[in-house]
Amino acid sequence: MKRKISLVIVSILIAFLGWYLFVKPNDYLITFKANTFPGAINQTIKSWDKRMQSNVSLEQDGLLNIKQQLKFNDTIVQYDWEIIPITDSTSKIKVRVKDLNNSFMNKLMIPFTSTVIEKRSKKNLVNFNQVLNNHVKNFKVSVVGEDELKSTFCAYLTVKGLQSEKAFGMMRDHPFLSGFVKQNNLKLNGSPFTEITKWNVQNDSIEYNFCYPIIKSDTLPVNNEIKYKDFEGTKALKAIYNGNYITSDRAWYKLLDYAQKNNIEVVKTPVEIFYDNPSIGGNELEWKAEIFMPIKESK
């Protein structure tokens, strides 16, 4: 009987060692908590990746899973990020770390000593957490709930690019569009806004109309770049964003989270109305934008 028990224990140990050394996908796991929502974490990972000067493109599987490769001397280390929502304002982050060149040796050494991959990974992720915490302090998103996005008439420019480039594109185009409106004595009818017409969540690329609401008249000046349209209002989820407009897209993710948790089907074409001029400066946390995520109409 004792012999059978010993054989079972040995078999279990051998199976475990076989799994640990040859099957286990990562060498090391780091878990920590973040006081923000998944979309803000997702975007911070991507900006942090640029700081780390990675020359390998990130692989994203949905919003919550990102695969990253970083090179340290002659070693390539892979970070598999998993973002787990906990509450509206907290998330858990798991980072599975694997040295693609020395994985087997790391697995042998980690139970007995502090390895280079452990020390480096802890240092890197402490740095990431600091970057994330600083980012979260610099903006605020408050979900209002369902609201009505009003119709208007506008002059607009069509732009393509990345989410991170949107604010710079607006700063570039603002003098041209506002100057055109002023020079042609067009009457403003509200604050400038962006209408996102296409949003690729996987690669963060967007197409949008940068719009100036104006009073519609029978005769409108012609321009090769500036067009006119009736912007149709709709029911939408609304949030208030405070912060630098470079990261106003964080509110898009917050609204998507809210929609999912409340079983509201939305269209991923957010509209942003801006109430402050960044060129004037001031406290960025006092800058305000209203963010709308259209609710899908029932058939």
Side-chain angles (χ1 to χ4, degrees), residues 192-209:
F193 66 94
T194 59
E195 173 196 17
I196 311 300
T197 54
K198 291 183 181 179
W199 178 21
N200 188 321
V201 181
Q202 287 295 112
N203 62 20
D204 302 325
S205 64
I206 55 173
E207 295 181 21
Y208 65 95
N209 297 324

Side-chain angles (χ1 to χ4, degrees), residues 218-231:
D218 294 333
T219 58
L220 292 167
V222 177
N223 184 281
N224 291 333
E225 296 180 63
I226 296 174
K227 302 175 183 178
Y228 304 96
K229 66 177 292 186
D230 287 304
F231 174 80

